[in-house]
Amino acid sequence: MTLFSSPVIQFMRSATLPFLAVSIFASGHASGFTIIEPTDAQRVKPGQVITVRLDPKDLDNLIQATYFWYHEQEDMLKESAEENLALVSSSTHDPPFGGALRVPETAIGPLRLLGVGERASARFRTEPWAIFDEVTLYVEPDSELTDIDFEIEKPLGFGRAALAAVYAEIDSLGKIIELPVVGTFADGVTRPLRLSSTGTTYHSSDEHVVIVNSDGFLQLAGNGTAIVTAKNRGLEATLEVVVDVNEEPNEPPVADAGKDQTVQEATRVQLQALNSFDPEGGSLEYHWSQVGGSKVSLLDPYSANASFLAPFVEDTRTFRFKLRVRDIQGADSIPDFVDITVEP
């Protein structure tokens, strides 16, 4: 996985300006970077134009603010950075370093607005800085849901029952996949409805064949046929699932991202996945990704103990990471999350 660096641009401190560098560091931490509008948990509509505004006390030495939209649990990948970009703002905007931005038309449920700032003083620092704030909005369409469906070829087959190579991995008992559930609304927009936070609930007609958790993760439990039902806003969709795999028992592995941590800036943070396990005692593959906070450079994301250097922060800020593990039979875990709070 390719990770992208924080939008905060870092420059080497100029050796010809020692007096300026000293004066900057002697002043301690600058004022914060705080989004005061919109507010956390504010309810908005898809396509609504809202104003983003920073606390006026936080604008000293700020030269740019960049804003991104991220959906719930969405990995912060380099290839998605451009499509997630919402606004680039400077002092000439109204309000300064803020402005109008549009809620994505396809959004529904929790939506994270991440704002990342760049200060002129960062040009003279060699250390990584994270100048950011974020709020989570709740998006609820005005339009009525007119149809719900599984966006996949039907019936869904696994093993010898597979009708198409939808999933490249070897099918085995214990395998877990994310069900692609979507809804079409009266405004003509199709929105993702897999997560429980969008109002979707699930039922399996035979949990000896497939088990579905509240966020639409389907687990192969045994051979046979089962009907999975997804319901949302009074509508429902059904999916026939046929499983015909090697009957060797296999339970999915369990991801454990460790306990939340509070650390000081500029310290090396190690993420702990060693409590993850395979019920059969087999070895595991690990995959860490970041889903909260401004982007940091995550080292060894495919190891049990990924790490990163806690950046300097102006205020206490939280970074969130997601862990999934896979066993030697190819079964994936349900993701687990850990929050790392960095204090100045």
Side-chain angles (χ1 to χ4, degrees):
M1 178 180 67
T2 303
L3 299 174
F4 72 101
S5 60
S6 167
V8 178
I9 302 174
Q10 299 174 25
F11 293 86
M12 295 300 293
R13 192 188 314 171
S14 171
T16 62
L17 297 174
F19 63 92
L20 180 57
V22 170
S23 66
I24 290 172
F25 281 99
S27 65
H29 290 285
S31 57
F33 182 94
T34 305
I35 298 173
I36 61 172
E37 186 183 347
T39 58
D40 201 48
Q42 181 174 323
R43 291 184 173 269
V44 295
K45 305 297 182 183
Q48 179 181 343
V49 176
I50 62 174
T51 298
V52 59
R53 188 185 308 271
L54 297 178
D55 190 322
K57 302 190 301 293
D58 299 343
L59 305 186
D60 291 347
N61 214 23
L62 194 65
I63 59 176
Q64 183 172 284
T66 306
Y67 299 90
F68 301 87
W69 292 117
Y70 285 103
H71 295 282
E72 184 181 12
Q73 301 184 12
E74 182 178 0
D75 290 355
M76 298 170 64
L77 302 177
K78 180 178 180 180
E79 51 266 31
S80 65
E82 183 175 346
E83 64 187 56
N84 288 54
L85 180 65
L87 175 68
V88 178
S89 183
S90 67
S91 60
T92 62
H93 284 69
D94 184 21
F97 303 104
L101 47 79
R102 186 180 299 274
V103 178
E105 290 282 359
T106 58
I108 186 170
L111 182 69
R112 183 164 62 98
L113 175 62
L114 170 66
V116 180
E118 180 188 342
R119 295 196 187 280
S121 58
R123 298 172 181 266
F124 304 100
R125 299 184 186 272
T126 58
E127 301 88 347
W129 273 77
I131 304 168
F132 75 95
D133 194 21
E134 58 186 340
V135 294
T136 299
L137 309 180
Y138 192 86
V139 186
E140 179 61 33
D142 273 334
S143 302
E144 180 183 0
L145 178 66
T146 59
D147 185 58
I148 181 175
D149 203 357
F150 294 89
E151 197 174 44
I152 196 169
E153 187 171 344
K154 303 175 184 177
L156 176 58
F158 294 92
R160 290 173 288 273
L163 301 181
V166 178
Y167 301 99
E169 298 86 355
I170 296 175
D171 294 333
S172 65
L173 296 183
K175 179 175 181 177
I176 291 177
I177 68 163
E178 301 176 13
L179 289 173
V181 181
V182 297
T184 302
F185 289 75
D187 58 5
V189 178
T190 298
R191 299 182 172 93
L193 295 178
R194 177 177 63 83
L195 296 176
S196 59
S197 57
T198 66
T200 300
T201 59
Y202 296 93
H203 173 73
S204 171
S205 65
D206 190 345
E207 293 195 343
H208 293 97
V209 178
V210 293
I211 301 169
V212 187
N213 84 343
S214 60
D215 277 333
F217 286 92
L218 180 147
Q219 174 194 340
L220 306 187
N223 286 330
T225 300
I227 303 298
V228 174
T229 303
K231 296 183 179 181
N232 192 304
R233 293 164 172 78
L235 299 181
E236 67 178 48
T238 59
L239 174 67
E240 181 181 1
V241 182
V242 183
V243 182
D244 186 4
V245 300
N246 188 319
E247 291 188 340
E248 179 182 356
N250 185 46
E251 291 292 325
V254 177
D256 186 335
K259 296 181 179 180
D260 294 345
Q261 302 181 49
T262 298
V263 302
Q264 293 296 306
E265 59 187 11
T267 58
R268 177 63 62 182
V269 181
Q270 189 172 68
L271 304 179
Q272 300 282 354
L274 292 178
N275 286 332
S276 304
F277 65 93
D278 176 17
E280 284 79 32
S283 60
L284 295 174
E285 296 177 0
Y286 303 87
H287 182 196
W288 291 96
S289 58
Q290 186 178 352
V291 295
S294 69
K295 193 64 180 161
V296 298
S297 295
L298 193 60
L299 302 178
D300 300 321
Y302 297 103
S303 71
N305 298 122
S307 65
F308 69 97
L309 181 65
F312 284 84
V313 292
E314 297 180 336
D315 293 298
T316 298
R317 289 291 181 257
T318 298
F319 300 79
R320 172 166 260 213
F321 299 90
K322 177 171 69 176
L323 171 69
R324 292 194 74 172
V325 297
R326 176 180 294 179
D327 68 17
I328 58 176
Q329 282 81 29
D332 288 316
S333 70
I334 292 172
D336 192 34
F337 301 86
V338 64
D339 290 337
I340 308 297
T341 300
V342 179
E343 295 181 337

